[in-house]
Amino acid sequence: MKRRLFRRCGTAADPLAPEDQAIVDAFRSLLEVRKNPQPWTPGSGQHVAVQVGPFIERAHPRPGDDHGPDLIAVSLVHPDTPHAAAYLHGHQLGYTGRGWLRCETAAILGIWQPAYTMLTHAAANLHLPDDVGMAPAHYGVHVEARRSDNTGRIVLSLGPYIQTWHASRDADRLNTELRGSEGGVLPGLTVTAKAAPFHVSDHESYTDPYETDIVALLAAAIDGH
């Protein structure tokens, strides 16, 4: 009896299934962006990729507070933002509700690109850690002295406030003190206190409001103006 021999022609591998090909393509894109990240420019307003432990996350810079050379304010967002499903998934994994955070620019890898997605906590279906390595960057209080033509300057900055309502409360307290001053505070100038975002890129100009008498600080700032 003759034995029939079966032989395969050629050496080409079987084509990948579409879902497997998509994984391969995503991995290749990831290697490319890790090798050649797109540089981030302060003040550009673009989402950035930041290092959070062994993971990489997408971060949204706070408008107007993203120009500092050392620190900027960001909020961590789900990699698939702004889709509704991403918001729900992000809420489950702890992306929402953290507020603004102080991000060192040294932790920024570059402009956010979709290829980074597979390295996020969301891709691994993991909850963000309680400590993401970034302190809160909530709000501050700015005491402004303005002329009638709306020009002026900030004479006192307080912050950061852990709770935004603390900033509003202290602004109201300082405005009450300013209204009660006899003979005007600064001739030709209108002085008011306002709650405002804490500018982390200018953090050295702020005074910690939790460790001092803010009314005494106001008086010293006015006397030195």
Side-chain angles (χ1 to χ4, degrees):
M1 184 173 71
K2 293 182 178 180
R3 178 177 295 176
R4 179 174 295 178
L5 298 177
F6 295 91
R7 294 166 52 184
R8 293 187 63 180
C9 296
T11 59
D14 293 336
L16 292 174
E19 57 271 20
D20 293 332
Q21 185 63 54
I23 294 174
V24 171
D25 292 343
F27 185 70
R28 287 174 175 167
S29 296
L30 175 61
L31 292 178
E32 179 61 27
V33 297
R34 290 306 303 267
K35 182 180 179 181
N36 298 300
Q38 293 186 26
W40 168 75
T41 302
S44 64
Q46 294 174 294
H47 284 202
V48 295
V50 298
Q51 194 80 40
V52 178
F55 295 85
I56 295 175
E57 295 296 338
R58 183 177 181 177
H60 167 59
R62 179 160 63 190
D65 200 10
D66 62 345
H67 59 278
D70 302 313
L71 283 171
I72 65 171
V74 303
S75 62
L76 297 180
V77 296
H78 191 280
D80 294 331
T81 298
H83 303 297
Y87 178 83
L88 294 175
H89 191 220
H91 180 73
Q92 294 170 353
L93 298 180
Y95 281 81
T96 60
R98 290 178 179 266
W100 297 107
L101 302 171
R102 301 176 65 178
C103 176
E104 295 184 4
T105 55
I108 297 175
L109 304 179
I111 297 172
W112 172 262
Q113 299 181 64
Y116 287 120
T117 296
M118 65 168 54
L119 296 181
T120 62
H121 286 79
N125 206 34
L126 294 175
H127 198 283
L128 280 176
D130 292 334
D131 182 6
V132 295
M134 291 180 273
H138 290 301
Y139 281 79
V141 169
H142 296 165
V143 179
E144 301 177 346
R146 293 196 170 275
R147 304 179 184 87
S148 58
D149 61 0
N150 206 34
T151 60
R153 61 185 294 267
I154 295 175
V155 297
L156 177 64
S157 296
L158 301 173
Y161 286 87
I162 298 174
Q163 299 290 335
T164 56
W165 69 270
H166 287 172
S168 296
R169 177 201 62 191
D170 279 5
D172 290 343
R173 179 184 176 192
L174 293 178
N175 282 323
T176 298
E177 187 72 18
L178 289 167
R179 286 193 295 268
S181 299
E182 296 182 1
V185 179
L186 291 173
L189 296 171
T190 300
V191 182
T192 56
K194 299 179 181 179
F198 174 72
H199 295 158
V200 297
S201 57
D202 193 29
H203 62 97
E204 293 181 352
S205 68
Y206 285 80
T207 301
D208 189 339
Y210 294 105
E211 298 181 355
T212 188
D213 182 348
I214 62 171
V215 174
L217 282 176
L218 175 65
I222 296 298
D223 289 342
H225 185 78

